[in-house]
Amino acid sequence: MTPSEKLPRLIPTGHCWCGCGTQTGIGSFFARGHDKVAEAALIAVQYGGSVPQFLHAHGYGPQHSVTHDAVEKTDWTTCTHCDYTGAPASVANHTRKYHLDHAG
């Protein structure tokens, strides 16, 4: 069972989920960039703004890699040229930017 199979299905409401009240497009939970605002606000409220505290509270840190778990349990991947890790689109952007020969 994947992590997403354990989560409830959420439906966009037409208003930004960060709580700002901005109307959103069809199928969008957030106004542009507000997903990161909401993420940072939650970490501020729950973990004093500390990402290490957030990771520790969920069992991650130097002894247990969150990025390793993301690769093992989700669609995250690692660049075939280096150890950059991220979502598939992020790794594709990274590869185009840093590993493809653009010299023609």
Side-chain angles (χ1 to χ4, degrees), residues 6-80:
K6 300 175 191 174
L7 300 173
R9 181 168 181 250
L10 302 176
I11 308 295
T13 63
H15 290 89
C16 185
W17 277 43
C18 84
C20 71
T22 299
Q23 287 190 340
T24 58
I26 294 173
S28 294
F29 287 95
F30 296 97
R32 187 173 201 82
H34 289 210
D35 54 333
K36 296 301 178 185
V37 171
E39 186 177 67
L42 177 60
I43 291 171
V45 168
Q46 295 291 317
Y47 305 100
S50 170
V51 173
Q53 289 291 342
F54 170 67
L55 291 171
H56 174 74
H58 293 275
Y60 294 105
Q63 77 291 351
H64 185 200
S65 171
V66 69
T67 54
H68 175 78
D69 267 7
V71 169
E72 292 295 316
K73 297 177 181 179
T74 72
D75 66 344
W76 273 40
T77 187
T78 301
C79 176
T80 58

Side-chain angles (χ1 to χ4, degrees), residues 67 71 77-86 90-100:
T67 54
V71 169
T77 187
T78 301
C79 176
T80 58
H81 304 283
C82 67
D83 57 359
Y84 178 85
T85 303
S90 179
V91 173
N93 288 336
H94 161 85
T95 301
R96 279 191 299 275
K97 185 173 181 178
Y98 295 106
H99 299 298
L100 295 182

